[in-house]
Amino acid sequence: MTRAADQLTRALRRALAGATPGGLAAEARIGVACSGGADSLALAHVAHGIWGDRVVVLHIDHGLQAGSAEVGARVAAWAASLGMHALVREIVVERNGSLEAAARKARYAALAQLQAELGLAWVMTAHTERDVAETVLMRLLRGTDLAGLRTIAPRRGIYLRPWLAMPRAAVEAYVKAHALPVWDDPMNEDRAMLRPRLRLDIMPMLAREQPSVVASLAAVSRQLDAWYRAARPLRRHWWQRVVAPGGELDAQQLRLTPPALARWVVARWLRRASGHGATRRHREAVLAMCASDETKQLNVAGGVVRKEFSTIAFIADATLVPPADASRAAAPPFAPPAGYAWRHWRAGDKMRPLRLRGRSGKLSDLFAQARVPASRRASAWVLVNQQSREIAWAEHVGAAFDAPVGPQNVTSRPNG
């Protein structure tokens, strides 16, 4: 066995042993994502040398260029020649924003579907040290926090990436030694995309200054990942202090949060709330919003971030739609008395709260006085007399004057 083969094989065995301490079940199979490029062909070949016909080659045809179907057929034929099962899945890439990101999203969705259909124990991908280094640079250029520099995880969900610490040279040596039929993807030479520009132009320039730049960048990513994992209890503590059960940020608590953790909380909150990435500009804008007592609004992908009083909320598509887990999805606060029914607040609603001693006021004004954010008003429950249609109790406000709702019922969910 050559030195490269030994390196790659040992890394593969270690990855699977770490992911499956008791070993693979006798009937278990492993998927290998294989584009036909050098890295993925080498991974499939090494895996086959260890586990034989338990390896299933998975080729995803993105349909982004002419001749892609022929590439899939060649990969399947090569796998069959070695006695491996192979499956080619055609997908449609929705071109929205970055083509690379859209293709990646569609590819992983297809791989997850194949894993479920075939009952695969794991799906392996052939990312190497070079991929890690390139991703670190890409995120630095686009703007990220320290958590973003952790880049590619060695194990996440159903995916194993056993070669993240492997130099590209080891893969190239293995491919050459075994004369693997590599397909060179033309998109890897397309300088219209950032990663090819980094790979072809920027990394070689950096390597002239520091030959070990790839290993250095990958090592930084691994070290940050180790620190990130060690700080998990601290992150969980501040997340629970700052993010309310309804999904809003508590601006007062965020101001008390150590800056490094505050940036992490906001970045994670933006990603979860919007379903999009959190740019450095948006993260810093939310932190600035937190420091101000003025009501502000920030446009972000998928909606707006709005601060009212001490609450910062994400509002999808600029509408007053509460988060999926907010009180609109919850049960009413208590069982209605006979002749009364629950509904949600509507614009124009009025009531006579106890504290106004019978005088009528708009619920929108009462909510504002109680410092209830607009993002939570749409989900507020009101108890209505089914005959007179008068409001007898309102969430965040309490009971109406002379309403048959006693103090034991005057409880509402916190504003967050």
Side-chain angles (χ1 to χ4, degrees):
M1 182 180 289
T2 65
R3 182 172 182 274
D6 182 54
Q7 279 184 294
L8 299 175
T9 301
R10 280 190 287 110
L12 207 51
R13 289 186 182 278
R14 278 198 307 269
L16 194 64
T20 316
L24 280 176
E27 70 283 0
R29 295 187 295 171
I30 303 165
V32 174
C34 187
S35 67
D39 295 343
S40 59
L41 280 180
L43 179 63
H45 196 266
V46 173
H48 178 256
I50 301 173
W51 296 293
D53 61 5
R54 299 172 77 182
V55 175
V56 181
V57 172
L58 308 174
H59 178 84
I60 308 301
D61 178 5
H62 300 80
L64 294 176
Q65 51 199 331
S68 62
E70 287 77 7
V71 175
R74 286 202 299 271
V75 169
W78 171 78
S81 72
L82 296 176
M84 286 186 285
H85 301 286
L87 198 150
V88 177
R89 176 64 54 88
E90 296 179 5
I91 61 173
V92 175
V93 176
E94 299 291 339
R95 301 195 185 200
N96 183 17
S98 164
L99 178 60
E100 184 180 18
R104 181 184 183 279
K105 181 178 180 180
R107 178 168 64 254
Y108 274 95
L111 288 172
Q113 186 176 24
L114 287 172
Q115 183 269 339
E117 290 175 5
L118 302 174
L120 303 173
W122 298 98
V123 174
M124 292 186 174
T125 69
H127 295 88
T128 65
E129 189 178 61
R130 185 179 75 173
D131 297 295
V132 176
E134 290 170 354
T135 305
V136 168
L137 274 183
M138 288 174 68
R139 292 187 180 176
L140 279 172
L141 291 171
R142 290 171 172 166
T144 185
D145 56 9
L146 290 178
L149 297 181
R150 296 163 56 229
T151 70
I152 308 171
R155 183 171 75 202
R156 179 172 294 162
I158 62 172
Y159 300 104
L160 285 182
R161 302 178 178 100
W163 288 351
L164 292 180
M166 288 292 105
R168 170 74 178 184
V171 173
E172 291 173 345
Y174 186 92
V175 167
K176 183 177 180 180
H178 293 83
L180 299 183
V182 173
W183 170 65
D184 293 317
D185 186 349
M187 292 184 70
N188 290 334
E189 307 291 325
D190 184 359
R191 284 179 167 84
M193 294 186 290
L194 178 56
R195 190 178 292 271
R197 292 200 302 275
L198 284 174
R199 182 173 296 172
L200 299 173
D201 301 326
I202 298 174
M203 290 298 261
M205 179 185 67
L206 294 174
R208 287 195 291 271
E209 295 295 327
Q210 174 52 266
S212 62
V213 62
V214 169
S216 297
L217 288 170
V220 166
S221 180
R222 289 193 296 272
Q223 290 162 16
L224 283 172
D225 183 65
W227 277 106
Y228 187 82
R229 293 175 185 277
R232 181 176 292 161
L234 196 58
R235 289 185 284 110
R236 183 185 300 117
H237 167 78
W238 285 101
W239 175 266
Q240 291 172 347
R241 282 190 62 169
V242 173
V243 182
E248 302 92 350
L249 294 177
D250 184 323
Q252 293 178 342
Q253 289 296 327
L254 192 58
R255 283 195 290 267
L256 299 175
T257 307
L261 289 163
R263 287 182 171 84
W264 172 81
V265 167
V266 171
R268 186 187 192 214
W269 177 78
L270 280 171
R271 286 193 296 269
R272 284 191 165 194
S274 69
H276 296 78
T279 67
R280 179 171 55 193
R281 180 174 66 84
H282 287 153
R283 186 187 67 225
E284 296 302 323
V286 171
L287 289 169
M289 181 186 294
C290 162
S292 170
D293 290 331
E294 298 178 8
T295 299
K296 290 188 176 181
Q297 183 167 299
L298 171 70
N299 293 323
V300 298
V304 299
V305 174
R306 183 177 297 166
K307 178 174 182 285
E308 295 181 273
F309 312 119
S310 63
T311 298
I312 298 175
F314 176 82
I315 304 172
D317 297 323
T319 61
L320 295 179
V321 178
D325 58 350
S327 55
R328 181 177 286 280
F334 53 88
Y340 290 79
W342 288 106
R343 66 167 171 80
H344 287 291
W345 168 79
R346 300 169 186 163
D349 275 346
K350 293 182 179 181
M351 72 175 292
R352 298 185 300 147
L354 272 173
R355 61 186 180 82
L356 293 185
R357 300 182 180 277
R359 287 186 290 112
S360 178
K362 284 188 175 182
L363 264 182
S364 57
D365 294 335
L366 297 171
F367 285 154
Q369 293 165 17
R371 301 176 72 84
V372 179
S375 59
R376 302 202 67 182
R377 296 174 196 175
S379 63
W381 288 102
V382 295
L383 183 67
V384 180
N385 184 307
Q386 292 179 298
Q387 288 188 346
S388 68
R389 315 311 298 171
E390 290 185 349
I391 294 175
W393 190 94
E395 191 171 15
H396 310 300
V397 175
F401 188 76
D402 287 340
V405 181
Q408 72 275 10
N409 300 127
V410 186
T411 57
S412 62
R413 285 178 287 276
N415 295 343

